Amino acid sequence: SLPRLDLELAVTSDGNCFHHGERASHLPHLHPIIFKLKTQRHFGFVYDVQPIDIPWEQKKNVADFRGALSGQYPMEVEQNIGDYSLHERCHILSRCWLAYQHGAKNSTLVDAKLSLPFVESRSKWIARFLALDDVDNDAAVDLYGEEISMERLLQYKALIMMEGNDVSSGLKWALFSKSVVLMPEPSFTSWAMEEYLEPWVHYIPITLSSRTYTDSSGLTDVEEKMQWVIDNDSEARQIAQNGRLWIYDLLFHPDAKTDELRIIDEIALRYGAHFAAT
């Protein structure tokens, strides 16, 4: 059975999530606190899933990804971004590399495209058509695709969720769907307690892209994992159901509202204990 919410799991930060080990680490004697913020972004779409979802057996045997070109460069790359080609930048940004790899393969198992450009900064800009390598400019991969509605995404048997600048905000509704989630092990956490999701129990793990351009091994197993879904239909369906139960337990269980109110009360007590004048 899935664990109930635990007051000791309450954690924090600026904007609803934190990267493990990077914030609040200077106060190891204090339990960090996560406030339930930006609820529409993180949980609003969960309530839209059930009326438009379709049965598992009617879904296409394809893994789909749509997402903005977001993500973080390592500090040494960010500081010297002009030294990196567009191809190198794409390799470092996992969402871009996912779209590039499977576009280059013309994959029939993985449909991965970036959403049409939302660019935060020039360092994140990458051409829509990216050459297959830095030499052959006659062949190129179209990294971007049309936006797809939730209703269309739910027609796919697997949904690929990738962290961008922080948590994957679509992960909650994807877990609540009847599709199975493919994703790297979460490195950010939020109110949904992503770090407690178990690979091969609540989602199917995929290899995260390398953070260095010299290692081209990243994200090579997404097609392999989608093939596993096809070859192991009942097991994959159970994983999808486990993910659905995780979100049900968090939001829809008869005790969920009571648990949430207890956690909010505990947050207020801890906030006072941590920051009250002495």
Side-chain angles (χ1 to χ4, degrees):
S1 61
L2 295 175
R4 296 297 303 139
L5 296 176
D6 188 332
L7 297 181
E8 291 300 314
L9 299 181
V11 250
T12 203
S13 101
D14 46 344
N16 199 40
C17 56
F18 74 93
H19 196 286
H20 300 320
E22 289 193 354
R23 301 190 178 96
S25 58
H26 62 295
L27 298 174
H29 61 291
L30 299 180
H31 295 290
I33 298 170
I34 289 186
F35 293 93
K36 188 180 182 184
L37 303 176
K38 299 184 179 177
T39 53
Q40 179 59 36
R41 174 195 170 199
H42 291 279
F43 298 103
F45 293 109
V46 172
Y47 300 90
D48 298 330
V49 170
Q50 191 162 323
I52 59 176
D53 205 355
I54 61 176
W56 170 268
E57 57 272 11
Q58 295 179 17
K59 294 176 183 282
K60 302 173 184 176
N61 286 323
V62 176
D64 193 275
F65 170 79
R66 288 295 187 279
L69 180 56
S70 58
Q72 300 294 332
Y73 291 118
M75 185 64 70
E76 65 273 14
V77 175
E78 188 71 51
Q79 291 175 341
N80 301 283
I81 195 65
D83 296 336
Y84 292 81
S85 68
L86 295 183
H87 196 276
E88 290 170 327
R89 295 182 198 181
C90 182
H91 192 149
I92 295 169
L93 295 174
S94 299
R95 290 183 170 201
C96 186
W97 194 240
L98 176 71
Y100 177 84
Q101 275 196 318
H102 297 95
K105 294 178 181 178
N106 292 315
S107 175
T108 59
L109 293 174
V110 178
D111 177 15
K113 294 289 185 182
L114 298 172
S115 302
L116 285 171
F118 165 75
V119 180
E120 303 170 311
S121 65
R122 288 293 298 175
S123 67
K124 291 283 177 64
W125 181 85
I126 294 176
R128 174 167 184 167
F129 294 95
L130 191 62
L132 285 173
D133 53 49
D134 285 331
V135 178
D136 183 3
N137 291 316
D138 293 328
V141 175
D142 187 354
L143 299 175
Y144 294 92
E146 62 175 332
E147 290 192 21
I148 296 181
S149 66
M150 178 189 290
E151 187 170 9
R152 283 185 59 191
L153 285 170
L154 290 171
Q155 295 175 14
Y156 294 93
K157 194 163 283 187
L159 299 173
I160 302 171
M161 294 289 125
M162 301 284 291
E163 292 177 339
N165 297 327
D166 52 47
V167 296
S168 173
S169 56
L171 176 60
K172 289 78 169 179
W173 72 257
L175 284 171
F176 192 60
S177 76
K178 296 173 185 174
S179 301
V180 67
V181 168
L182 274 60
M183 69 176 184
E185 180 181 356
S187 59
F188 291 86
T189 191
S190 74
W191 189 266
M193 301 181 293
E194 285 86 349
E195 75 274 33
Y196 289 97
L197 292 169
E198 296 183 43
W200 299 110
V201 176
H202 304 104
Y203 69 94
I204 296 174
I206 57 176
T207 304
L208 184 63
S209 176
S210 168
R211 303 294 286 179
T212 62
Y213 177 62
T214 54
D215 178 3
S216 60
S217 62
L219 287 172
T220 55
D221 67 346
V222 184
E223 286 185 296
E224 174 188 331
K225 295 300 175 56
M226 185 59 217
Q227 187 62 55
W228 184 91
V229 170
I230 295 170
D231 295 340
N232 299 271
D233 187 82
S234 60
E235 291 91 338
R237 185 173 186 169
Q238 184 59 56
I239 293 171
Q241 177 66 7
N242 292 342
R244 185 174 173 81
L245 288 173
W246 181 272
I247 299 300
Y248 172 83
D249 186 68
L250 183 69
L251 298 179
F252 302 104
H253 189 281
D255 295 334
K257 180 55 68 175
T258 300
D259 287 344
E260 185 171 318
L261 291 174
R262 290 175 60 219
I263 290 173
I264 290 171
D265 286 344
E266 182 69 14
I267 286 174
L269 289 172
R270 293 192 188 191
Y271 186 91
H274 292 176
F275 303 110
T278 57

